[in-house]
Amino acid sequence: MPASHVKILAIESSCDETSASVAANGKILNNIIATQSVHENYGGVVPELASRAHQQNIVPVVDEALKNAAIDFKDLDAIAFTRGPGLMGALLVGTSFAKSMALALDIPLIEVNHMQAHVLAHFIDDPKPDFPFLCLTVSGGHTQIVKVNNYLDMEVIGETIDDAVGEAFDKTAKMLGLGYPGGPLLDKLAQSGDPNKFQFSKSDMEGYNFSFSGLKTSVLYFLRDQLKNNPEFIEENKNDLAASIQKALIDMLMKKLMKASKELGINQIAIAGGVSANSGLRNRLNELAASLQWKVFIPDFEFCTDNAGMIAMAAHYKYEQKEFVDQSVSAMPRMKI
Ligand code: KG4
Ligand code: ZN
C-alpha cells in the first residue's frame, strides 16, 4: 500500500500522559491526551502511580482516537508506540498494548524514540523547517541540542550532564513555595518581575553541554541567607526572584544554542518539549531571530508537551522506510537518539 494511504495508530505512555493519535495520509487526525492529575499531591511524577493510570486510561484513550477519526480497528495499517526513553513501568503499558494490537490485527509494529518524536512534532503543521536545522529539546526529563539532518537522521550535539532544564524550573519554583509542576507558575510570576534584580551562578560546560545543578544550589543558598535576615524575603520578592531565575536558565540555554548556530552555520532553530511553552524563552528566541537572522520554529503548545501526535508523525516517516520491529521488542527506558 502506498504510504500516502496508510492509517497508523500511535500510542505514547513514557511519563505521565496517556495519549493516542491516528495519522492518515501523513496527516495527524487527532491527538487524544489523558493527563494524570494523581501526581499533583506528591510534587512530582510517582512511577508506580503513572503505570497504574496508564493501564486505566489506555483503552478509553485509544477508543476515543479511533472513534474521533471514524476508523475501525480493522482499517489500521500499523501500530506505533513510544519505546523509550521514559519510565520503565509506564513504557511497558504502551509497548505491551501496541504489541498485542499488532499481533491481533496482523499488521506492522513501529517503535518510536520519544526524543526524536519531539523534534518531528515540527512536521505536523506548517511552517516546517528545512534540513539541516537545530532543535533545542527542553522538557522535564531532557535538555538537548539536536542537529537534524533528515527526518530520521539526527545527532545529539549537546545535552545536560545533570538536571534537565524543566527540572531546574520545577525545583527552584518549589524553593519559592510554588506548586507542582512549578515551571508554568514561575513563568507567570516572572512576567511581572525584574529579571536583573538578582544574579545567580551560571555553569558553563564544555562544547554544547549544559549543567543546571549549580544554579539550583546557588538559588538555595541565596534564599537561605536572605531568609535569615528577613523571613518575608521570598514573599516580598517573589516576582523578581522568578524573573531572575528564569533569565539565568534562558541565558544558559541561549549561550549554547548561539554557539552551535554560529559554529555549524545553521540558522534554522526549532524548540520542542514542555519548557518551550515558557514565555520568556519564546520572547528571547524571537528577539534573537531578529538580531541574528534566525528562522525560529515553535510548535503549537498541544505538540510541545508529551503527546501521541508526534509519535504518529515519527511513525509515518518510519513506515515510509519500512522500519518495522517484531514481537521480541521491549521497552527501553534509556533509549538514545
Ligand atoms: O515535555 P514535558 O511535558 O514532559 C516531559 O518532561 O517529558 O515537559 C514538562 C516540563 C515540566 O518541567 C514543566 O514545569 C515544564 O515542562 N514547563 C514549563 C512551562 N510549561 C511547562 N517550564 C517553564 N515555563 C513554562 N511555561
Ligand atoms: Zn517528552
Side-chain angles (χ1 to χ4, degrees):
M1 172 166 315
S4 61
H5 294 102
V6 166
K7 297 180 188 68
I8 301 174
L9 170 71
I11 293 164
E12 154 65 30
S13 74
S14 65
C15 190
D16 60 343
E17 323 275 4
T18 318
S19 182
S21 167
V22 175
N25 310 333
K27 290 265 164 286
I28 305 307
L29 300 186
N30 55 38
N31 181 37
I32 310 297
I33 303 175
T35 301
Q36 304 178 359
S37 54
V38 61
H39 308 288
E40 280 163 18
N41 305 329
Y42 299 90
V45 176
V46 184
E48 174 78 22
L49 296 179
S51 327
R52 284 193 213 180
H54 283 306
Q55 290 201 355
Q56 285 163 352
N57 294 341
I58 197 152
V59 171
V61 162
V62 165
D63 235 23
E64 195 178 333
L66 291 172
K67 273 202 195 104
N68 174 284
I71 284 177
D72 195 77
F73 282 114
K74 63 180 186 312
D75 300 328
L76 290 170
D77 299 295
I79 310 285
F81 67 99
T82 303
R83 185 178 181 193
L87 301 169
M88 185 54 155
L91 290 166
L92 277 175
V93 178
T95 304
S96 307
F97 189 91
K99 283 170 70 172
S100 314
M101 260 188 99
L103 186 66
L105 297 169
D106 194 22
I107 54 177
L109 185 60
I110 301 173
E111 59 157 46
V112 172
N113 179 308
H114 180 87
M115 301 312 294
Q116 216 171 42
H118 267 303
V119 174
L120 294 173
H122 286 280
F123 295 92
I124 294 176
D125 290 320
D126 287 331
K128 301 178 174 85
D130 296 322
F131 301 113
F133 66 92
L134 293 176
C135 186
L136 176 70
T137 312
V138 277
S139 74
H142 290 89
T143 308
Q144 297 182 332
I145 300 180
V146 184
K147 179 170 176 269
V148 189
N149 302 317
N150 211 323
Y151 299 111
L152 301 174
D153 175 9
M154 308 180 186
E155 304 161 58
V156 177
I157 59 168
E159 61 191 329
T160 180
I161 61 151
D162 42 50
D163 292 350
V165 68
E167 222 177 326
F169 266 105
D170 294 340
K171 286 180 180 167
T172 50
K174 198 171 174 187
M175 293 176 204
L176 300 184
L178 308 179
Y180 177 85
L185 304 169
L186 193 136
D187 180 3
K188 202 153 183 238
L189 290 178
Q191 286 170 28
S192 42
D194 174 2
N196 298 311
K197 180 86 176 274
F198 305 109
Q199 307 298 321
F200 299 109
S201 90
K202 290 179 262 183
S203 322
D204 193 4
M205 304 308 294
E206 225 178 282
Y208 308 126
N209 285 340
F210 303 98
S211 164
F212 298 104
S213 65
L215 173 108
K216 195 178 60 185
T217 314
S218 147
V219 173
L220 184 71
Y221 289 168
F222 175 75
L223 292 176
R224 188 192 58 188
D225 292 347
Q226 297 299 321
L227 287 169
K228 273 187 207 150
N229 303 325
N230 174 11
E232 300 303 315
F233 181 77
I234 293 180
E235 273 319 305
E236 288 169 8
N237 294 281
K238 226 172 205 172
N239 295 7
D240 294 339
L241 282 165
S244 302
I245 293 169
Q246 180 168 296
K247 177 178 183 296
L249 289 170
I250 297 171
D251 283 350
M252 283 190 270
L253 291 172
M254 290 306 111
K255 184 168 181 184
K256 296 299 174 152
L257 195 55
M258 287 192 291
K259 179 176 158 74
S261 161
K262 192 170 168 211
E263 291 177 357
L264 301 174
I266 298 175
N267 68 352
Q268 293 207 67
I269 310 289
I271 54 168
V275 181
S276 51
N278 183 267
S279 57
L281 179 60
R282 286 174 178 237
N283 291 342
R284 184 79 71 86
L285 277 169
N286 287 327
E287 282 163 28
L288 289 172
S291 63
L292 298 175
Q293 277 81 50
W294 278 1
K295 202 166 170 206
V296 170
F297 299 86
I298 306 176
D300 273 358
F301 184 67
E302 178 187 6
F303 298 116
C304 284
T305 51
D306 289 348
N307 68 88
M310 67 186 195
I311 306 300
M313 201 64 238
H316 165 74
Y317 296 115
K318 290 198 135 190
Y319 192 98
E320 285 188 329
Q321 301 300 317
K322 299 273 174 285
E323 277 194 35
F324 304 138
V325 286
D326 64 32
Q327 286 285 329
S328 65
V329 68
S330 62
M332 203 186 244
R334 300 194 167 276
M335 193 174 190
K336 300 251 184 250
I337 278 188

